[in-house]
Amino acid sequence: MTTSRAFENGELIHPENKVPLLLNGEFVQSDTKTFIDVTNPATQAVICQAPVTTAGEMEAAIASAKTAFKSWSEVPPPERARHMFQYQSLLKKHQADIATVLAKETGKVFDDAMGDVWRGIEVAEHACGIPSLVMGETVENVARNIDTYSYIQPLGVCAGITPFNFPAMIPLWMFPMAIACGNSFILKPSEQDPMTPTMLAELFLEAGFPKDLLQLVHGGKEQVDTLLTHPDIKAVSFVGSVPVGQHIYKTGTDHLKRVQAFAGAKNHVVIMPDADKQRVIDNLVGSSCGAAGQRCMALSVAVFVGAAQEWIPDLKEALSQIKPGPSDDKTSAYGPLISPQAKERALRLIASAHEQGADVLLDGSDCTVPGYPNGNWIGPTLFDNVTVEMDVYKEEIFGPALSIVRTDSLEDAITLINHNQYGNGTSIFTASGAAARKYQHEIEVGQVGINVPIPVPLPFFSFTGWKNSFYGDLHAYGKQAVRFYTETKTITARWFDESIPSEGANMTIKLK
Ligand code: NAD
């Protein structure tokens, strides 16, 4: 079956709820015999099936993207921007439709699903400014009568591999910027929630871009490895876990590709005794348990300094009031974890906290939600007196769990955080400008919030994780993404004045 659309009234139109591939501008049913079940994490009901793209289909996607690049790279940036404006406006128009599908396959509560889509729309919006973003540099008279100027030119076929936790935002971090820069793109989204990216791709076609510019393939390691090793792919963007990120970075760079790999995190928040207590508690509840703690910028370690430790009972009380539930229930604070395996990991880590001597103030292991006996629920979980040797401190839980570490001073908090292997995000809550200034200067983390719990930069900046949260050189969106998805060509030019005779052959490097 081949169609120009994938959805009708929010439902897949392909038979047996099999997610189509987008190849050469058409939604097609894969020839594969292998499909991956996509389940509703609140019930385990199978919603649809993602195809494991065949080798032949991978080759077809890459070949089609290569052809698309030839003509699209010649399209002037203002024309590319006009298409992107159209896309941005379609995304806005269909934000709630996308969020409905997203909530169904991730379990996110609807308002949070709307936020996931919105943060992606903002990147498409940023990509609309591409003519100014690809302006080069010029210096007249670098030597007598010689000018130097640079052009920013597209790179080729680029690929993106995305995680389950932001199925709208993270694909939209990638392909709008890559395509606005003049490249073609192949997206391999998470096999756990493939419908949302399919909807993004459908709207992309509707926006009137050349039909073969974006290809959508599905699968796992084998399909990703094809993208990492294929000679026609020039750049690979990845977001996901640390082991996979390391594999992607090593394999991609071994095959001489440009790679950016955003990986795991353990985000610390420092609470100073002079902070606003109620705001601290409200912010800790939302940023540790929002999206069931499945955000790469979720706060998972709270470092309480000195007298701020007196607020811990109030934090426990506030966390105990929130309840997970299904995505369409307005009273649900957050949804289920994405899979039984994700829940299993959270349960294992909660058990380890008991065994390794943490004070488990709240244990969400036995969480139930009426009417949803099979959901991957974990209740709000709070560990106190956590030390750096404990598994809950070392490992990413990716669940609604907050670890408390107690310190006596800001210096001790900074030392603790700087020793952590991750450097995605951090924040400090304080009323002191001096403490905040010291923190922002000395902390070895790429994104810092001051009285802001989840400091994800807007797209005119870049998403700048450090240490084991990022492998590569140039980050996502903003000016860094333009550098990542383009080549710089530097031209040095001289035009001869016929009335001036040649000075003859020059055998040495001229000093001026
Ligand atoms: P994951 O690493 O399991 O999967 C990510 C992608 O890689 C998926 O498309 C998957 O199909 C593919 N993949 C899985 N195993 C592979 C393999 N062996 N070889 C090649 N490709 C493979 O991650 P996830 O569970 O989907 O997402 C959660 C993780 O993503 C967390 O660790 C979270 O911190 C991280 N994350 C990081 C950021 C960031 O900006 N740093 C943002 C979002 C999520």
Side-chain angles (χ1 to χ4, degrees):
M1 183 175 175
T2 301
T3 55
S4 59
R5 298 193 62 86
F7 291 90
E8 184 87 42
N9 300 323
E11 301 291 334
L12 280 170
I13 54 180
H14 283 245
E16 299 165 38
N17 272 341
K18 289 195 161 57
V19 177
L21 307 172
L22 177 59
L23 291 185
N24 203 15
E26 308 280 358
F27 287 104
V28 295
Q29 208 58 74
S30 171
D31 290 336
T32 186
K33 300 274 175 288
T34 317
F35 288 86
I36 302 165
D37 285 346
V38 178
T39 52
N40 177 336
T43 62
Q44 310 309 329
V46 176
I47 310 170
C48 64
Q49 289 188 308
V52 175
T53 310
T54 66
E57 289 161 348
M58 289 300 295
E59 275 303 327
I62 296 167
S64 178
K66 197 175 169 189
T67 309
F69 173 72
K70 283 202 189 91
S71 45
W72 180 247
S73 55
E74 294 299 327
V75 172
E79 252 181 69
R80 293 187 222 142
R82 254 167 248 140
H83 285 291
M84 202 52 77
F85 274 115
Q86 181 63 15
Y87 187 44
Q88 182 262 9
S89 121
L90 282 171
L91 288 170
K92 269 169 68 180
K93 183 172 157 200
H94 292 284
Q95 184 186 358
D97 304 330
I98 305 168
T100 304
V101 167
L102 193 155
K104 194 162 134 187
E105 60 183 354
T106 61
K108 283 191 187 187
V109 295
F110 182 74
D111 287 351
D112 198 37
M114 287 288 278
D116 184 333
V117 184
W118 180 250
R119 294 310 298 260
I121 291 174
E122 288 178 326
V123 184
E125 207 161 84
H126 178 64
C128 294
I130 200 66
S132 346
L133 292 170
V134 293
M135 284 166 79
E137 296 171 318
T138 311
V139 174
E140 189 192 35
N141 257 357
V142 288
R144 280 176 184 72
N145 296 320
I146 297 183
D147 305 325
T148 296
Y149 45 94
S150 62
Y151 289 137
I152 309 282
Q153 295 192 337
L155 198 59
V157 182
C158 302
I161 297 127
T162 53
F164 79 83
N165 67 329
F166 283 103
M169 179 185 83
I170 292 179
L172 289 169
W173 279 7
M174 297 177 182
F175 71 82
M177 289 303 290
I179 284 174
C181 286
N183 304 293
S184 56
F185 202 87
I186 302 174
L187 177 66
K188 203 304 286 173
S190 169
E191 64 281 18
Q192 299 190 84
D193 42 20
M195 288 201 295
T196 305
T198 306
M199 204 170 240
L200 300 178
E202 184 186 74
L203 294 171
F204 184 84
L205 285 188
E206 204 180 319
F209 284 97
K211 57 186 225 152
D212 44 7
L213 210 45
L214 177 67
Q215 319 277 329
L216 186 60
V217 295
H218 297 283
K221 180 171 169 33
E222 198 183 321
Q223 290 64 35
V224 172
D225 285 351
T226 302
L227 297 171
L228 291 172
T229 54
H230 199 288
D232 288 337
I233 306 279
K234 299 296 174 212
V236 176
S237 305
F238 165 83
V239 180
S241 59
V242 165
V244 182
Q246 291 182 345
H247 165 71
I248 300 266
Y249 187 73
K250 284 184 195 153
T251 313
T253 52
D254 272 357
H255 287 80
L256 307 177
K257 294 181 198 322
R258 221 173 259 193
V259 181
Q260 52 174 203
F262 298 84
K266 201 81 189 169
N267 304 309
H268 295 63
V269 52
V270 175
I271 296 113
M272 299 298 288
D274 61 3
D276 179 322
K277 175 181 158 185
Q278 193 52 49
R279 287 200 168 98
V280 165
I281 290 171
D282 292 343
N283 278 279
L284 284 182
V285 170
S287 53
S288 61
C289 292
Q294 298 174 114
R295 293 177 180 143
C296 59
M297 290 286 279
L299 291 177
S300 53
V301 184
V303 186
F304 279 84
V305 178
Q309 291 160 18
E310 289 165 18
W311 307 341
I312 292 169
D314 299 289
L315 172 62
K316 175 185 168 183
E317 175 57 24
L319 278 168
S320 69
Q321 298 303 314
I322 62 165
K323 302 262 176 292
S327 57
D328 54 0
D329 181 343
K330 284 262 174 217
T331 66
S332 308
Y334 61 87
L337 298 198
I338 189 70
S339 64
Q341 293 75 13
K343 179 174 174 177
E344 212 35 62
R345 185 187 53 224
L347 291 178
R348 172 178 60 80
L349 285 164
I350 296 172
S352 79
H354 285 283
E355 286 155 19
Q356 294 168 10
D359 293 325
V360 183
L361 302 184
L362 290 172
D363 183 335
S365 305
D366 289 328
C367 178
T368 52
V369 172
Y372 295 86
N374 299 322
N376 310 317
W377 311 111
I378 294 281
T381 298
L382 186 62
F383 311 114
D384 195 3
N385 290 308
V386 169
T387 62
V388 294
E389 294 81 23
M390 293 178 187
D391 290 346
V392 283
Y393 182 78
K394 290 189 289 195
E395 288 188 39
E396 195 177 21
I397 304 174
F398 231 50
L402 183 64
S403 298
I404 294 173
V405 178
R406 296 173 178 236
T407 66
D408 293 332
S409 66
L410 178 59
E411 281 75 15
D412 289 351
I414 292 174
T415 304
L416 171 90
I417 298 165
N418 286 351
H419 276 96
N420 193 271
Q421 63 162 317
Y422 295 111
N424 218 30
T426 187
S427 59
I428 181 168
F429 279 80
T430 181
S432 157
R437 174 67 175 69
K438 178 181 170 68
Y439 192 72
Q440 74 179 25
H441 183 65
E442 293 182 16
I443 206 71
E444 292 164 14
V445 174
Q447 299 169 110
V448 181
I450 295 172
N451 298 315
V452 171
I454 302 192
V456 176
L458 284 172
F460 23 91
F461 290 90
S462 296
F463 187 92
T464 53
W466 284 14
K467 301 195 274 189
N468 273 341
S469 297
F470 178 69
Y471 308 107
D473 306 290
L474 292 165
H475 292 84
Y477 56 77
K479 292 195 186 83
Q480 295 201 24
V482 174
R483 292 284 165 193
F484 181 75
Y485 289 124
T486 57
E487 292 282 21
T488 302
K489 184 178 282 175
T490 310
I491 298 151
T492 300
R494 171 167 63 181
W495 295 95
F496 295 117
D497 183 338
E498 283 174 12
S499 64
I500 301 171
S502 167
E503 291 171 3
N506 176 27
M507 309 304 291
T508 59
I509 294 174
K510 274 196 156 183
L511 295 181
K512 57 180 183 171

